[in-house]
Amino acid sequence: MPDLSAFPITRKWPARHPDRIQLYSLPTPNGVKVSIMLEETGLPYEPHLVRFDTDDQLSPEFLSLNPNNKIPAILDPNGPGGKPLALFESGAILLYLADKSGKLIPADPARRYETIQWVMFQMGGIGPMFGQLGFFHKFAGKDYEDKRPRDRYVAESRRLLKVLEQRLEGRAWIMGDEYTIADVATLPWVRNLVGFYEAGDLVGIKDFVNVRRVLDAFVQRPAVVKGLDTPRRG
């Protein structure tokens, strides 16, 4: 049985199954990327809820694993060379889990890098821009009299959706017929934009027929249904 006692995070979130991947997360768009990936690949894991309302992400134990105090993070007791591996940043975790499982990433080198390209598109564009739009539309930013910041993120979010719409024309998924980590990275953010952020009308989501089609297919996947609710909020 692996010994994870050297990792301070296990003092706050004890591992009942230390032989499984330990997931420290919350059901946010970035968080569910990893829970969905774990469900899709079938890799054994144990989820731990990181509560923002009690500042768990700022605790010394969590910071020992991720000094950037963001979710998700994982601790794999069976990492490369059989040694434990701690990782943060959802994009890096998706790549690691894809390589570990041999799933959701093409074996062909050219298509592999094309897939990674679309993951980076989500990490550098869709995630930050949709998140800012959510702030200015639904949260504290909605009270600002000056709507120029919100409108700037509306325009950029629409531009990104147009890029995604064009990519999905004639394709079942971002990489064509093959469902990959590019979809796992991107579609939770689209779902959050039109759902939790309630910004569908604002960005004109009805105009993006392909995006809506693929999102509908995504949320019907059993692994996605379970991953979207993991870790369960207490």
Side-chain angles (χ1 to χ4, degrees):
M1 187 70 67
D3 181 9
L4 301 180
S5 62
F7 294 88
I9 196 165
T10 60
R11 298 170 199 160
K12 185 173 179 67
W13 291 278
R16 291 180 301 160
H17 305 282
D19 56 326
R20 302 179 186 178
I21 293 172
Q22 303 295 303
L23 169 65
Y24 308 93
S25 190
L26 186 70
T28 67
N30 281 334
V32 299
K33 292 179 197 175
V34 176
S35 53
I36 290 170
M37 183 66 179
L38 287 163
E39 289 293 331
E40 292 280 11
T41 59
L43 290 168
Y45 74 103
E46 180 178 352
H48 302 278
L49 182 68
V50 180
R51 300 185 63 99
F52 285 3
D53 57 345
T54 55
D55 290 335
D56 281 353
Q57 76 279 16
L58 300 177
S59 65
E61 293 86 354
F62 188 81
L63 291 173
S64 71
L65 192 65
N66 182 2
N68 196 34
N69 66 271
K70 304 290 184 183
I71 58 94
I74 66 167
L75 175 56
D76 184 359
N78 300 298
K83 298 179 180 179
L85 175 68
L87 280 179
F88 61 89
E89 284 297 329
S90 59
I93 297 171
L94 288 181
L95 283 167
Y96 172 71
L97 296 176
D99 286 343
K100 182 180 177 73
S101 65
K103 297 179 180 179
L104 275 64
I105 194 163
D108 175 74
R111 285 182 57 78
R112 172 185 170 85
Y113 281 109
E114 189 179 354
T115 303
I116 294 172
Q117 162 189 268
W118 285 100
V119 173
M120 296 302 107
F121 170 76
Q122 182 279 305
M123 299 291 293
I126 282 181
M129 294 301 105
F130 286 13
Q132 291 294 340
L133 176 54
F135 172 80
F136 283 103
H137 177 60
K138 182 167 182 175
F139 298 108
K142 72 181 185 299
D143 298 323
Y144 294 4
E145 290 185 15
D146 187 349
K147 297 305 178 186
R148 285 176 296 179
R150 185 204 66 178
D151 293 346
R152 180 260 191 275
Y153 291 115
V154 170
E156 181 62 5
S157 294
R158 276 189 59 84
R159 188 191 71 78
L160 292 166
L161 285 168
K162 287 179 182 177
V163 174
L164 189 58
E165 176 73 10
Q166 291 170 356
R167 174 65 183 182
L168 292 172
E169 180 66 34
R171 292 182 172 92
W173 302 102
I174 291 173
M175 288 300 296
D177 292 337
E178 187 175 4
Y179 173 76
T180 69
I181 57 173
D183 305 294
V184 175
T186 303
L187 293 166
W189 273 103
V190 178
R191 175 181 177 269
N192 206 66
L193 180 71
V194 301
F196 182 67
Y197 288 160
E198 301 172 348
D201 289 341
L202 196 61
V203 298
I205 194 66
K206 66 181 183 299
D207 298 333
F208 303 104
V209 178
N210 293 313
V211 172
R212 290 189 288 110
R213 167 181 56 83
V214 176
L215 177 62
D216 287 345
F218 178 71
V219 297
Q220 292 176 33
R221 295 178 67 88
V224 173
V225 172
K226 186 168 182 182
L228 288 171
D229 194 33
T230 303
R232 288 203 166 202
R233 298 175 188 266

